[in-house]
Amino acid sequence: AICYPLHYFTKVKPKRVQVCVCLCWMFAASFTGLLLKNNLQHPGRYNSCIGECVIDMNYIANVFDLIVTFIVPITVIVILYIRIFGVAVYQARAMRSHIAVVTMKVTVKKSEM
């Protein structure tokens, strides 16, 4: 929507958004199910007292969980925000040069830029 505003509505349809959201939720549920598979097969196996909730995960599962659920999403978000910032700066410079060329008499406030 930022980089190609005129193509946004041709590429992003409500049905496509629904499919993407459903896929994200299904991935999250299946990933959590895989991590908790042992606890789901033997519930209460690691509990030593009533009301305690213990989740046993090995080191590889913890590292994989950290990478998949934290590092990859943060990296994607940062990259997308950097791209959006670059496009916004480019558009602001284009607007500033266009305003300077078109009208020399009208003063434009900094907040409007």
Side-chain angles (χ1 to χ4, degrees), residues 8-79:
Y8 179 76
F9 292 106
T10 60
K11 292 186 178 190
V12 179
K13 303 274 185 198
K15 187 71 171 176
R16 184 178 286 182
V17 172
Q18 290 174 349
V19 167
C20 289
V21 169
C22 289
L23 285 174
C24 287
W25 277 105
M26 288 184 342
F27 173 75
S30 62
F31 181 73
T32 304
L34 284 174
L35 289 177
L36 299 175
K37 184 179 93 170
N38 194 23
N39 290 338
L40 293 174
Q41 288 175 344
H42 308 288
R45 178 178 177 187
Y46 303 106
N47 296 350
S48 60
C49 65
I50 297 174
E52 183 181 19
C53 181
V54 177
I55 298 174
D56 182 41
M57 292 173 57
N58 60 11
Y59 179 75
I60 295 172
N62 282 336
V63 171
F64 187 71
D65 182 42
L66 174 72
I67 291 171
V68 170
T69 61
F70 183 71
I71 294 177
V72 170
I74 290 293
T75 305
V76 169
I77 289 169
V78 167
I79 289 170

